[in-house]
Structures are given as C-alpha cells and as structure tokens.
Amino acid sequence: MVADNLIQQAESHILHTYNRFPVVLDHGEGVYLFDIEGNKYLDFAAGIAVQALGYGDQEYNQALKAQIDKLMHTSNLYYNQPTIEAAEKLCAASGLERAFFTNSGTEAVEGAIKAAKKYAYDRDGCTDHEIIAMNHSFHGRSLGALAVTGNSHYREPFEPLPGIVRFADYNDLDSVASLVNEKTCAIILETIQGEGGVFPAEEGFLKGIRKICDENDILLILDEIQCGMGRTGTMFAWQGYDVKPDIMTCAKALGCGVAVGAFVLTERVASSSLKPGDHGTTYGGNPFAGAAVSKVFDIFQRRKLTEHVQEVGNYLQERLEQVKSQLACIHARRGRGLMQGLELSMSAAEVSSKALAQGLLVIPAGSNVLRFVPPLVIEREHVDEMIEKLNRALKD
Ligand SMILES: *Cc1c(COP(=O)(O)O)cnc(C)c1O
C-alpha cells in the first residue's frame, strides 16, 4: 500500500527513463536490503556493482560522518587532505601516476577522452584524430561517452556525436588492427564488458591491443568503472592480464556509495596532455568524496578483500556452472571473480523479476544475460542462498 502510493508519486514527478522494479528500498544491513514494507532481499546487484562493502559498514560510515562535520566541499581552487590521500592510494593501487576525480563514471570517460585528444593535439598540432571503441561497449550517457558506446540504440537519437569513432569487434584483434591508421589517437575498451553481457577480454586480445598502441603511439584507455576495484580478484581487472593502460577510468565501487569517479594517467601521458585550464570540475574530488575513496582503499587493503574475492568468486563460479549443467535454459556462464553472467534462452528481465519475488536482487546485462555483481564481502553461505533462490526463480 505505502509502496504503491510512493511508486505512483515517483511516476508522476520523476522523468521516466527507467522501468524500475516495483519496490521502494528503505535500508540495508550487510549484504541484505529491506524495502519499506519490511521485505528482505539478498543483494547480488549491489546498486550496479557499487556497494562493494555492502551496507552499514561501521568503519566506513563513521569516517564519512566525521568528514561531514569537518568539511564537505572546498572547490578545486584549494587543496584538501582527504583527496590528496585518496589520490595517493589510487595511484599506489594502480601503478599509474596521476588522478583526476570526477562525480561519475561518464565524466571519468569524458576526461579520459579529452586527455587522449589533447595528447595527440599537442603532438600533431591538429584535431582530426580518431578513436577506436568496441561494439557492445558501454561507457556512459553523456555525449562524449555515448560517442564511444557501441550500442546504436543508445546513440542514434543523439547523433551527430563528438569526435570520429570507429567500432571494432571485442576479442577480435584483426578487426581492431584493420581500423588503425595514422589518425588513431586512442583505443578505448572495458577490460571486461559489463552492460554488453559480461564478456571478459581474452588475454591475447588485450596484449595485442597493447602492442598496436605501443607501435603507433596510440593511447590505451581501459574502462574499469564496473570491473575494477577488486571485483575480479585483482584491484583492477587489467592487473590480472599483465597489461597496463595509459589511462584508466574508474567509478562505481570507488566510493562504495558516494558519487565519485576518476581517470588516472601515466606520468608520461599526464605531462603531455591536460594542463591548467584544459579541464575542471566544481564538485569533483571534494573532501567528502576524498574521505570515502581514502577509507575504501584502507578497508580493501586491511581486510584483504581481493584475496577474499578470489576465494568466494571461485565458489560462485563453481555453483553457477552447476546450475548451468542442470538447466537447459542456461547457455553459457562468463565472467571473473564476483562479476559473473549467465546467458539465458529467455528474457533476463523476466527472470530478475521472478528472483525479486524470491527475495533476490539480480539484474540483467543486455536482453538475455543475468548479471551477478554482489558486494565483495559476501560469504559462501550467501552464494548458497542465492543459488537456492535463483533455482526457484528459474523453475517458476
Ligand atoms: C556504469 C558504467 C559507466 C558509467 O558510469 P556512470 O557513473 O553511470 O556515469 C561507464 N563505463 C562502464 C564500464 C560502466 O559500467
């Protein structure tokens, strides 16, 4: 009743750009969420791979409360300590040298593209450079990020989009190589495609792209917004491939619930691209966001979360393989660590709705892939509980 009224209110005042699940969430506890009617849900969506620490982590919450009382915003005209520490930790974790904080993933991608274009402009003195992106990629909804998003349904109504972008097939090195020319300034891809249906890059593909970039002074931009921050068992997914990007984007779990993103560059690219006046943000990297990022890195390190993900991720993978072998409606399992997908012979949205009725939050990735991106702090028992609920939803 209460929920119905709220949903009606929402649908009369909030722009209808989402077909939402019909629940009003109220609070969270560990890896569970509760709606305003008191129903409990096991959360394998994590607010789309954001809530890596789950809900109600006292250490994280206390750090943010303390920062609210101290200082939330300064603008980037001044320095602030939490964000300096956050940048230091982000650079240490990635082995990259310079970070720029944004408020979202799409802004991180915008910044990465601008850095690549500026690098090429400073080198060549012209602006007609091209970017290679991937089919079925997702990089965000703002115009620059949309321009490199390989989903024509998202792009078409908003064309012409900025820049000259050519689309290659993911995991097909020849298709990338065939698009390279003297105007190519950057290749952008997700290390593991998320929205496109959970497709990990093959090692040969990623290494091949790195080689193409090295040979042609092309910048490799890896979008780690979804697959980064420990989700695949290494802090960043590319660290599991022995390939290093020139620019990396991150967001989602970077703040574990606080809106923050970043693009991070090697010193080489940083020192020959964006200069004072070339880029900026009012909110980005404010002390509140900085305190969140800084605390997130502390917690990840002290609790050895990447090791935990390797362990519980293997278990999740095993259990999903089991389900797959038992049910003909599941065609494939893909993914790494705690970023997994099941390709179904039916609508993933429909299965997600059935799962919701069983008290399980899972989300689609594309039309027929069911995506599992739980908080990184889940335990085996939560995987078992999820599998039980998933089985009931699938058989329903
Ligand atoms: C979510 C996502 C984005 C966009 O992030 P927003 O914070 O929604 O702007 C970009 N790239 C990838 C890979 C994503 O998963």
Side-chain angles (χ1 to χ4, degrees), residues 17-19 48 104-110 137-149 151-158 161-162 195 223 225 252:
T17 57
Y18 281 94
N19 291 315
I48 318 187
S104 65
T106 203
E107 284 170 81
V109 172
E110 297 286 333
S137 65
F138 182 82
H139 297 291
R141 302 291 199 155
S142 54
L143 293 172
L146 199 54
V148 292
T149 286
N151 180 327
S152 54
H153 176 75
Y154 289 169
R155 276 208 325 272
E156 226 170 69
F158 308 103
L161 290 163
E195 302 302 312
D223 184 341
I225 290 170
K252 290 201 164 87

PDB file of all heavy atoms in Angstrom, residues 17-19 48 104-110 137-149 151-158 161-162 195 223 225 252:
ATOM      1  N   THR A  17      12.846   7.548 -17.299  1.00  0.00           N
ATOM      2  CA  THR A  17      13.915   6.991 -18.129  1.00  0.00           C
ATOM      3  C   THR A  17      14.284   5.578 -17.687  1.00  0.00           C
ATOM      4  O   THR A  17      15.175   4.961 -18.264  1.00  0.00           O
ATOM      5  CB  THR A  17      15.187   7.865 -18.065  1.00  0.00           C
ATOM      6  OG1 THR A  17      15.592   7.973 -16.707  1.00  0.00           O
ATOM      7  CG2 THR A  17      14.934   9.248 -18.632  1.00  0.00           C
ATOM      8  N   TYR A  18      13.637   5.078 -16.664  1.00  0.00           N
ATOM      9  CA  TYR A  18      13.886   3.711 -16.180  1.00  0.00           C
ATOM     10  C   TYR A  18      12.559   2.979 -15.990  1.00  0.00           C
ATOM     11  O   TYR A  18      11.590   3.571 -15.519  1.00  0.00           O
ATOM     12  CB  TYR A  18      14.591   3.736 -14.812  1.00  0.00           C
ATOM     13  CG  TYR A  18      16.076   4.009 -14.884  1.00  0.00           C
ATOM     14  CD1 TYR A  18      16.572   5.297 -14.738  1.00  0.00           C
ATOM     15  CD2 TYR A  18      16.989   2.977 -15.068  1.00  0.00           C
ATOM     16  CE1 TYR A  18      17.936   5.557 -14.789  1.00  0.00           C
ATOM     17  CE2 TYR A  18      18.349   3.230 -15.118  1.00  0.00           C
ATOM     18  CZ  TYR A  18      18.817   4.507 -14.981  1.00  0.00           C
ATOM     19  OH  TYR A  18      20.170   4.755 -15.028  1.00  0.00           O
ATOM     20  N   ASN A  19      12.548   1.703 -16.365  1.00  0.00           N
ATOM     21  CA  ASN A  19      11.455   0.834 -15.947  1.00  0.00           C
ATOM     22  C   ASN A  19      11.919   0.130 -14.691  1.00  0.00           C
ATOM     23  O   ASN A  19      12.633  -0.866 -14.741  1.00  0.00           O
ATOM     24  CB  ASN A  19      11.125  -0.186 -17.035  1.00  0.00           C
ATOM     25  CG  ASN A  19      10.505   0.507 -18.241  1.00  0.00           C
ATOM     26  OD1 ASN A  19       9.632   1.365 -18.093  1.00  0.00           O
ATOM     27  ND2 ASN A  19      10.971   0.161 -19.424  1.00  0.00           N
ATOM     28  N   ILE A  48      24.252  -1.828  -8.862  1.00  0.00           N
ATOM     29  CA  ILE A  48      25.082  -1.975 -10.073  1.00  0.00           C
ATOM     30  C   ILE A  48      26.579  -1.884  -9.725  1.00  0.00           C
ATOM     31  O   ILE A  48      27.279  -0.933 -10.097  1.00  0.00           O
ATOM     32  CB  ILE A  48      24.718  -0.976 -11.195  1.00  0.00           C
ATOM     33  CG1 ILE A  48      23.192  -0.834 -11.336  1.00  0.00           C
ATOM     34  CG2 ILE A  48      25.340  -1.455 -12.519  1.00  0.00           C
ATOM     35  CD1 ILE A  48      22.735   0.003 -12.523  1.00  0.00           C
ATOM     36  N   SER A 104      31.232  11.001 -11.429  1.00  0.00           N
ATOM     37  CA  SER A 104      30.524   9.860 -12.011  1.00  0.00           C
ATOM     38  C   SER A 104      31.442   9.143 -12.979  1.00  0.00           C
ATOM     39  O   SER A 104      32.540   9.626 -13.305  1.00  0.00           O
ATOM     40  CB  SER A 104      29.289  10.347 -12.783  1.00  0.00           C
ATOM     41  OG  SER A 104      29.710  11.121 -13.893  1.00  0.00           O
ATOM     42  N   GLY A 105      30.964   8.002 -13.469  1.00  0.00           N
ATOM     43  CA  GLY A 105      31.725   7.233 -14.446  1.00  0.00           C
ATOM     44  C   GLY A 105      31.792   7.932 -15.788  1.00  0.00           C
ATOM     45  O   GLY A 105      32.856   8.017 -16.407  1.00  0.00           O
ATOM     46  N   THR A 106      30.662   8.426 -16.223  1.00  0.00           N
ATOM     47  CA  THR A 106      30.626   9.039 -17.553  1.00  0.00           C
ATOM     48  C   THR A 106      31.573  10.236 -17.620  1.00  0.00           C
ATOM     49  O   THR A 106      32.251  10.453 -18.618  1.00  0.00           O
ATOM     50  CB  THR A 106      29.167   9.404 -17.956  1.00  0.00           C
ATOM     51  OG1 THR A 106      29.079   9.473 -19.374  1.00  0.00           O
ATOM     52  CG2 THR A 106      28.694  10.696 -17.335  1.00  0.00           C
ATOM     53  N   GLU A 107      31.685  10.992 -16.533  1.00  0.00           N
ATOM     54  CA  GLU A 107      32.615  12.123 -16.509  1.00  0.00           C
ATOM     55  C   GLU A 107      34.065  11.645 -16.535  1.00  0.00           C
ATOM     56  O   GLU A 107      34.949  12.348 -17.046  1.00  0.00           O
ATOM     57  CB  GLU A 107      32.421  12.947 -15.237  1.00  0.00           C
ATOM     58  CG  GLU A 107      31.212  13.833 -15.222  1.00  0.00           C
ATOM     59  CD  GLU A 107      31.007  14.388 -13.827  1.00  0.00           C
ATOM     60  OE1 GLU A 107      31.690  15.363 -13.476  1.00  0.00           O
ATOM     61  OE2 GLU A 107      30.191  13.826 -13.090  1.00  0.00           O
ATOM     62  N   ALA A 108      34.323  10.502 -15.939  1.00  0.00           N
ATOM     63  CA  ALA A 108      35.681   9.943 -15.976  1.00  0.00           C
ATOM     64  C   ALA A 108      36.048   9.607 -17.420  1.00  0.00           C
ATOM     65  O   ALA A 108      37.168   9.863 -17.877  1.00  0.00           O
ATOM     66  CB  ALA A 108      35.774   8.711 -15.087  1.00  0.00           C
ATOM     67  N   VAL A 109      35.080   9.056 -18.159  1.00  0.00           N
ATOM     68  CA  VAL A 109      35.316   8.715 -19.565  1.00  0.00           C
ATOM     69  C   VAL A 109      35.519   9.984 -20.390  1.00  0.00           C
ATOM     70  O   VAL A 109      36.410  10.060 -21.246  1.00  0.00           O
ATOM     71  CB  VAL A 109      34.149   7.860 -20.115  1.00  0.00           C
ATOM     72  CG1 VAL A 109      34.281   7.671 -21.619  1.00  0.00           C
ATOM     73  CG2 VAL A 109      34.101   6.514 -19.401  1.00  0.00           C
ATOM     74  N   GLU A 110      34.701  11.009 -20.132  1.00  0.00           N
ATOM     75  CA  GLU A 110      34.876  12.298 -20.825  1.00  0.00           C
ATOM     76  C   GLU A 110      36.310  12.809 -20.631  1.00  0.00           C
ATOM     77  O   GLU A 110      36.962  13.257 -21.583  1.00  0.00           O
ATOM     78  CB  GLU A 110      33.912  13.356 -20.267  1.00  0.00           C
ATOM     79  CG  GLU A 110      32.436  13.045 -20.456  1.00  0.00           C
ATOM     80  CD  GLU A 110      31.956  13.237 -21.882  1.00  0.00           C
ATOM     81  OE1 GLU A 110      32.543  14.043 -22.615  1.00  0.00           O
ATOM     82  OE2 GLU A 110      30.993  12.546 -22.262  1.00  0.00           O
ATOM     83  N   SER A 137      29.983  -2.095 -26.339  1.00  0.00           N
ATOM     84  CA  SER A 137      30.586  -1.485 -25.161  1.00  0.00           C
ATOM     85  C   SER A 137      29.583  -0.584 -24.471  1.00  0.00           C
ATOM     86  O   SER A 137      28.543  -0.234 -25.044  1.00  0.00           O
ATOM     87  CB  SER A 137      31.785  -0.636 -25.581  1.00  0.00           C
ATOM     88  OG  SER A 137      31.351   0.449 -26.386  1.00  0.00           O
ATOM     89  N   PHE A 138      29.900  -0.222 -23.239  1.00  0.00           N
ATOM     90  CA  PHE A 138      29.131   0.811 -22.538  1.00  0.00           C
ATOM     91  C   PHE A 138      30.104   1.695 -21.782  1.00  0.00           C
ATOM     92  O   PHE A 138      30.893   1.213 -20.984  1.00  0.00           O
ATOM     93  CB  PHE A 138      28.115   0.205 -21.565  1.00  0.00           C
ATOM     94  CG  PHE A 138      27.302   1.273 -20.879  1.00  0.00           C
ATOM     95  CD1 PHE A 138      26.195   1.838 -21.500  1.00  0.00           C
ATOM     96  CD2 PHE A 138      27.665   1.748 -19.622  1.00  0.00           C
ATOM     97  CE1 PHE A 138      25.466   2.851 -20.892  1.00  0.00           C
ATOM     98  CE2 PHE A 138      26.936   2.757 -19.004  1.00  0.00           C
ATOM     99  CZ  PHE A 138      25.841   3.315 -19.640  1.00  0.00           C
ATOM    100  N   HIS A 139      30.043   3.006 -22.057  1.00  0.00           N
ATOM    101  CA  HIS A 139      30.942   3.928 -21.374  1.00  0.00           C
ATOM    102  C   HIS A 139      30.230   5.101 -20.723  1.00  0.00           C
ATOM    103  O   HIS A 139      30.893   5.966 -20.150  1.00  0.00           O
ATOM    104  CB  HIS A 139      32.012   4.430 -22.345  1.00  0.00           C
ATOM    105  CG  HIS A 139      32.904   3.346 -22.880  1.00  0.00           C
ATOM    106  ND1 HIS A 139      33.823   2.675 -22.079  1.00  0.00           N
ATOM    107  CD2 HIS A 139      32.997   2.780 -24.103  1.00  0.00           C
ATOM    108  CE1 HIS A 139      34.458   1.764 -22.819  1.00  0.00           C
ATOM    109  NE2 HIS A 139      33.972   1.804 -24.042  1.00  0.00           N
ATOM    110  N   GLY A 140      28.901   5.151 -20.798  1.00  0.00           N
ATOM    111  CA  GLY A 140      28.189   6.226 -20.123  1.00  0.00           C
ATOM    112  C   GLY A 140      27.234   6.957 -21.039  1.00  0.00           C
ATOM    113  O   GLY A 140      27.173   6.683 -22.243  1.00  0.00           O
ATOM    114  N   ARG A 141      26.505   7.913 -20.465  1.00  0.00           N
ATOM    115  CA  ARG A 141      25.372   8.521 -21.161  1.00  0.00           C
ATOM    116  C   ARG A 141      25.593   9.959 -21.599  1.00  0.00           C
ATOM    117  O   ARG A 141      24.740  10.524 -22.281  1.00  0.00           O
ATOM    118  CB  ARG A 141      24.152   8.497 -20.228  1.00  0.00           C
ATOM    119  CG  ARG A 141      23.751   7.109 -19.766  1.00  0.00           C
ATOM    120  CD  ARG A 141      23.199   6.297 -20.912  1.00  0.00           C
ATOM    121  NE  ARG A 141      22.434   5.175 -20.409  1.00  0.00           N
ATOM    122  CZ  ARG A 141      21.463   4.576 -21.088  1.00  0.00           C
ATOM    123  NH1 ARG A 141      21.157   4.978 -22.294  1.00  0.00           N
ATOM    124  NH2 ARG A 141      20.810   3.567 -20.560  1.00  0.00           N
ATOM    125  N   SER A 142      26.681  10.594 -21.164  1.00  0.00           N
ATOM    126  CA  SER A 142      26.940  11.954 -21.630  1.00  0.00           C
ATOM    127  C   SER A 142      27.473  11.868 -23.062  1.00  0.00           C
ATOM    128  O   SER A 142      27.877  10.800 -23.520  1.00  0.00           O
ATOM    129  CB  SER A 142      27.911  12.663 -20.697  1.00  0.00           C
ATOM    130  OG  SER A 142      29.082  11.900 -20.539  1.00  0.00           O
ATOM    131  N   LEU A 143      27.484  12.985 -23.782  1.00  0.00           N
ATOM    132  CA  LEU A 143      27.658  12.909 -25.238  1.00  0.00           C
ATOM    133  C   LEU A 143      29.000  12.308 -25.661  1.00  0.00           C
ATOM    134  O   LEU A 143      29.047  11.513 -26.605  1.00  0.00           O
ATOM    135  CB  LEU A 143      27.454  14.288 -25.857  1.00  0.00           C
ATOM    136  CG  LEU A 143      26.002  14.794 -25.731  1.00  0.00           C
ATOM    137  CD1 LEU A 143      25.895  16.239 -26.185  1.00  0.00           C
ATOM    138  CD2 LEU A 143      25.047  13.925 -26.524  1.00  0.00           C
ATOM    139  N   GLY A 144      30.079  12.657 -24.958  1.00  0.00           N
ATOM    140  CA  GLY A 144      31.383  12.112 -25.329  1.00  0.00           C
ATOM    141  C   GLY A 144      31.463  10.618 -25.055  1.00  0.00           C
ATOM    142  O   GLY A 144      31.955   9.844 -25.883  1.00  0.00           O
ATOM    143  N   ALA A 145      30.985  10.213 -23.893  1.00  0.00           N
ATOM    144  CA  ALA A 145      30.997   8.790 -23.527  1.00  0.00           C
ATOM    145  C   ALA A 145      30.048   7.996 -24.416  1.00  0.00           C
ATOM    146  O   ALA A 145      30.335   6.850 -24.793  1.00  0.00           O
ATOM    147  CB  ALA A 145      30.625   8.624 -22.049  1.00  0.00           C
ATOM    148  N   LEU A 146      28.950   8.623 -24.782  1.00  0.00           N
ATOM    149  CA  LEU A 146      27.987   7.978 -25.679  1.00  0.00           C
ATOM    150  C   LEU A 146      28.603   7.746 -27.056  1.00  0.00           C
ATOM    151  O   LEU A 146      28.325   6.749 -27.712  1.00  0.00           O
ATOM    152  CB  LEU A 146      26.750   8.882 -25.789  1.00  0.00           C
ATOM    153  CG  LEU A 146      25.443   8.289 -26.291  1.00  0.00           C
ATOM    154  CD1 LEU A 146      25.049   7.058 -25.484  1.00  0.00           C
ATOM    155  CD2 LEU A 146      24.341   9.344 -26.239  1.00  0.00           C
ATOM    156  N   ALA A 147      29.462   8.681 -27.461  1.00  0.00           N
ATOM    157  CA  ALA A 147      30.099   8.582 -28.776  1.00  0.00           C
ATOM    158  C   ALA A 147      30.968   7.330 -28.888  1.00  0.00           C
ATOM    159  O   ALA A 147      31.187   6.824 -29.992  1.00  0.00           O
ATOM    160  CB  ALA A 147      30.935   9.829 -29.054  1.00  0.00           C
ATOM    161  N   VAL A 148      31.482   6.818 -27.761  1.00  0.00           N
ATOM    162  CA  VAL A 148      32.317   5.609 -27.814  1.00  0.00           C
ATOM    163  C   VAL A 148      31.564   4.375 -27.317  1.00  0.00           C
ATOM    164  O   VAL A 148      32.145   3.316 -27.092  1.00  0.00           O
ATOM    165  CB  VAL A 148      33.641   5.794 -27.014  1.00  0.00           C
ATOM    166  CG1 VAL A 148      34.552   6.811 -27.711  1.00  0.00           C
ATOM    167  CG2 VAL A 148      33.389   6.212 -25.570  1.00  0.00           C
ATOM    168  N   THR A 149      30.259   4.523 -27.087  1.00  0.00           N
ATOM    169  CA  THR A 149      29.432   3.406 -26.634  1.00  0.00           C
ATOM    170  C   THR A 149      28.889   2.660 -27.855  1.00  0.00           C
ATOM    171  O   THR A 149      28.229   3.256 -28.709  1.00  0.00           O
ATOM    172  CB  THR A 149      28.306   3.919 -25.714  1.00  0.00           C
ATOM    173  OG1 THR A 149      28.885   4.269 -24.449  1.00  0.00           O
ATOM    174  CG2 THR A 149      27.233   2.865 -25.489  1.00  0.00           C
ATOM    175  N   ASN A 151      26.524   0.838 -28.940  1.00  0.00           N
ATOM    176  CA  ASN A 151      25.143   0.371 -28.921  1.00  0.00           C
ATOM    177  C   ASN A 151      24.325   1.418 -29.668  1.00  0.00           C
ATOM    178  O   ASN A 151      24.039   2.493 -29.136  1.00  0.00           O
ATOM    179  CB  ASN A 151      24.693   0.241 -27.457  1.00  0.00           C
ATOM    180  CG  ASN A 151      23.261  -0.232 -27.318  1.00  0.00           C
ATOM    181  OD1 ASN A 151      22.412   0.079 -28.144  1.00  0.00           O
ATOM    182  ND2 ASN A 151      22.989  -0.971 -26.256  1.00  0.00           N
ATOM    183  N   SER A 152      23.988   1.127 -30.906  1.00  0.00           N
ATOM    184  CA  SER A 152      23.388   2.150 -31.767  1.00  0.00           C
ATOM    185  C   SER A 152      22.042   2.622 -31.235  1.00  0.00           C
ATOM    186  O   SER A 152      21.642   3.762 -31.452  1.00  0.00           O
ATOM    187  CB  SER A 152      23.258   1.625 -33.195  1.00  0.00           C
ATOM    188  OG  SER A 152      22.557   0.417 -33.179  1.00  0.00           O
ATOM    189  N   HIS A 153      21.369   1.751 -30.489  1.00  0.00           N
ATOM    190  CA  HIS A 153      20.085   2.133 -29.898  1.00  0.00           C
ATOM    191  C   HIS A 153      20.266   3.307 -28.920  1.00  0.00           C
ATOM    192  O   HIS A 153      19.435   4.209 -28.874  1.00  0.00           O
ATOM    193  CB  HIS A 153      19.492   0.928 -29.175  1.00  0.00           C
ATOM    194  CG  HIS A 153      18.216   1.224 -28.457  1.00  0.00           C
ATOM    195  ND1 HIS A 153      17.010   1.382 -29.132  1.00  0.00           N
ATOM    196  CD2 HIS A 153      17.942   1.422 -27.148  1.00  0.00           C
ATOM    197  CE1 HIS A 153      16.059   1.653 -28.251  1.00  0.00           C
ATOM    198  NE2 HIS A 153      16.593   1.684 -27.027  1.00  0.00           N
ATOM    199  N   TYR A 154      21.368   3.284 -28.150  1.00  0.00           N
ATOM    200  CA  TYR A 154      21.650   4.378 -27.214  1.00  0.00           C
ATOM    201  C   TYR A 154      22.094   5.636 -27.951  1.00  0.00           C
ATOM    202  O   TYR A 154      21.856   6.753 -27.517  1.00  0.00           O
ATOM    203  CB  TYR A 154      22.769   3.997 -26.225  1.00  0.00           C
ATOM    204  CG  TYR A 154      22.406   2.961 -25.182  1.00  0.00           C
ATOM    205  CD1 TYR A 154      23.397   2.382 -24.384  1.00  0.00           C
ATOM    206  CD2 TYR A 154      21.090   2.570 -24.972  1.00  0.00           C
ATOM    207  CE1 TYR A 154      23.088   1.440 -23.419  1.00  0.00           C
ATOM    208  CE2 TYR A 154      20.771   1.622 -24.008  1.00  0.00           C
ATOM    209  CZ  TYR A 154      21.776   1.058 -23.238  1.00  0.00           C
ATOM    210  OH  TYR A 154      21.482   0.127 -22.284  1.00  0.00           O
ATOM    211  N   ARG A 155      22.838   5.431 -29.074  1.00  0.00           N
ATOM    212  CA  ARG A 155      23.494   6.556 -29.743  1.00  0.00           C
ATOM    213  C   ARG A 155      22.620   7.301 -30.727  1.00  0.00           C
ATOM    214  O   ARG A 155      22.627   8.524 -30.773  1.00  0.00           O
ATOM    215  CB  ARG A 155      24.725   6.042 -30.500  1.00  0.00           C
ATOM    216  CG  ARG A 155      25.975   5.911 -29.677  1.00  0.00           C
ATOM    217  CD  ARG A 155      27.229   6.077 -30.533  1.00  0.00           C
ATOM    218  NE  ARG A 155      27.092   5.532 -31.866  1.00  0.00           N
ATOM    219  CZ  ARG A 155      27.349   4.269 -32.194  1.00  0.00           C
ATOM    220  NH1 ARG A 155      27.793   3.440 -31.290  1.00  0.00           N
ATOM    221  NH2 ARG A 155      27.171   3.835 -33.435  1.00  0.00           N
ATOM    222  N   GLU A 156      21.861   6.541 -31.533  1.00  0.00           N
ATOM    223  CA  GLU A 156      21.215   7.077 -32.728  1.00  0.00           C
ATOM    224  C   GLU A 156      20.446   8.390 -32.540  1.00  0.00           C
ATOM    225  O   GLU A 156      20.673   9.346 -33.292  1.00  0.00           O
ATOM    226  CB  GLU A 156      20.299   6.010 -33.331  1.00  0.00           C
ATOM    227  CG  GLU A 156      20.444   5.876 -34.813  1.00  0.00           C
ATOM    228  CD  GLU A 156      19.712   4.644 -35.313  1.00  0.00           C
ATOM    229  OE1 GLU A 156      18.459   4.631 -35.276  1.00  0.00           O
ATOM    230  OE2 GLU A 156      20.409   3.691 -35.699  1.00  0.00           O
ATOM    231  N   PRO A 157      19.555   8.488 -31.539  1.00  0.00           N
ATOM    232  CA  PRO A 157      18.751   9.716 -31.425  1.00  0.00           C
ATOM    233  C   PRO A 157      19.584  10.963 -31.144  1.00  0.00           C
ATOM    234  O   PRO A 157      19.069  12.069 -31.282  1.00  0.00           O
ATOM    235  CB  PRO A 157      17.829   9.437 -30.239  1.00  0.00           C
ATOM    236  CG  PRO A 157      17.925   7.983 -29.968  1.00  0.00           C
ATOM    237  CD  PRO A 157      19.251   7.537 -30.471  1.00  0.00           C
ATOM    238  N   PHE A 158      20.834  10.781 -30.752  1.00  0.00           N
ATOM    239  CA  PHE A 158      21.634  11.919 -30.299  1.00  0.00           C
ATOM    240  C   PHE A 158      22.761  12.269 -31.264  1.00  0.00           C
ATOM    241  O   PHE A 158      23.607  13.094 -30.964  1.00  0.00           O
ATOM    242  CB  PHE A 158      22.169  11.644 -28.892  1.00  0.00           C
ATOM    243  CG  PHE A 158      21.060  11.232 -27.954  1.00  0.00           C
ATOM    244  CD1 PHE A 158      20.887   9.905 -27.593  1.00  0.00           C
ATOM    245  CD2 PHE A 158      20.154  12.181 -27.490  1.00  0.00           C
ATOM    246  CE1 PHE A 158      19.837   9.528 -26.767  1.00  0.00           C
ATOM    247  CE2 PHE A 158      19.106  11.811 -26.666  1.00  0.00           C
ATOM    248  CZ  PHE A 158      18.940  10.480 -26.299  1.00  0.00           C
ATOM    249  N   LEU A 161      27.402  12.752 -32.831  1.00  0.00           N
ATOM    250  CA  LEU A 161      28.107  12.806 -31.550  1.00  0.00           C
ATOM    251  C   LEU A 161      29.542  13.269 -31.789  1.00  0.00           C
ATOM    252  O   LEU A 161      30.062  13.140 -32.898  1.00  0.00           O
ATOM    253  CB  LEU A 161      28.072  11.414 -30.898  1.00  0.00           C
ATOM    254  CG  LEU A 161      26.672  11.024 -30.413  1.00  0.00           C
ATOM    255  CD1 LEU A 161      26.566   9.527 -30.159  1.00  0.00           C
ATOM    256  CD2 LEU A 161      26.275  11.799 -29.168  1.00  0.00           C
ATOM    257  N   PRO A 162      30.178  13.813 -30.768  1.00  0.00           N
ATOM    258  CA  PRO A 162      31.501  14.414 -30.968  1.00  0.00           C
ATOM    259  C   PRO A 162      32.583  13.389 -31.317  1.00  0.00           C
ATOM    260  O   PRO A 162      32.574  12.270 -30.838  1.00  0.00           O
ATOM    261  CB  PRO A 162      31.807  15.051 -29.605  1.00  0.00           C
ATOM    262  CG  PRO A 162      30.896  14.390 -28.638  1.00  0.00           C
ATOM    263  CD  PRO A 162      29.686  13.982 -29.402  1.00  0.00           C
ATOM    264  N   GLU A 195      27.747  -4.040 -19.235  1.00  0.00           N
ATOM    265  CA  GLU A 195      26.380  -3.886 -19.762  1.00  0.00           C
ATOM    266  C   GLU A 195      26.172  -4.715 -21.026  1.00  0.00           C
ATOM    267  O   GLU A 195      25.066  -5.188 -21.284  1.00  0.00           O
ATOM    268  CB  GLU A 195      26.092  -2.421 -20.074  1.00  0.00           C
ATOM    269  CG  GLU A 195      26.250  -1.462 -18.896  1.00  0.00           C
ATOM    270  CD  GLU A 195      25.380  -1.804 -17.723  1.00  0.00           C
ATOM    271  OE1 GLU A 195      24.175  -2.047 -17.930  1.00  0.00           O
ATOM    272  OE2 GLU A 195      25.899  -1.851 -16.596  1.00  0.00           O
ATOM    273  N   ASP A 223      38.499   1.041 -19.459  1.00  0.00           N
ATOM    274  CA  ASP A 223      37.372   1.454 -18.625  1.00  0.00           C
ATOM    275  C   ASP A 223      37.167   0.381 -17.559  1.00  0.00           C
ATOM    276  O   ASP A 223      36.738  -0.739 -17.854  1.00  0.00           O
ATOM    277  CB  ASP A 223      36.123   1.623 -19.496  1.00  0.00           C
ATOM    278  CG  ASP A 223      34.931   2.146 -18.686  1.00  0.00           C
ATOM    279  OD1 ASP A 223      34.959   2.039 -17.441  1.00  0.00           O
ATOM    280  OD2 ASP A 223      33.971   2.640 -19.307  1.00  0.00           O
ATOM    281  N   ILE A 225      35.358   0.980 -14.780  1.00  0.00           N
ATOM    282  CA  ILE A 225      34.310   1.523 -13.921  1.00  0.00           C
ATOM    283  C   ILE A 225      33.493   0.410 -13.260  1.00  0.00           C
ATOM    284  O   ILE A 225      33.166   0.492 -12.082  1.00  0.00           O
ATOM    285  CB  ILE A 225      33.426   2.497 -14.737  1.00  0.00           C
ATOM    286  CG1 ILE A 225      34.238   3.758 -15.066  1.00  0.00           C
ATOM    287  CG2 ILE A 225      32.143   2.851 -13.989  1.00  0.00           C
ATOM    288  CD1 ILE A 225      33.597   4.697 -16.068  1.00  0.00           C
ATOM    289  N   LYS A 252      31.851   3.753  -9.915  1.00  0.00           N
ATOM    290  CA  LYS A 252      31.067   2.730  -9.215  1.00  0.00           C
ATOM    291  C   LYS A 252      31.628   2.411  -7.820  1.00  0.00           C
ATOM    292  O   LYS A 252      31.417   3.180  -6.905  1.00  0.00           O
ATOM    293  CB  LYS A 252      30.909   1.497 -10.102  1.00  0.00           C
ATOM    294  CG  LYS A 252      29.972   1.795 -11.295  1.00  0.00           C
ATOM    295  CD  LYS A 252      29.352   0.582 -11.936  1.00  0.00           C
ATOM    296  CE  LYS A 252      28.178   0.929 -12.827  1.00  0.00           C
ATOM    297  NZ  LYS A 252      28.513   1.270 -14.219  1.00  0.00           N
TER     298      LYS A 252
END
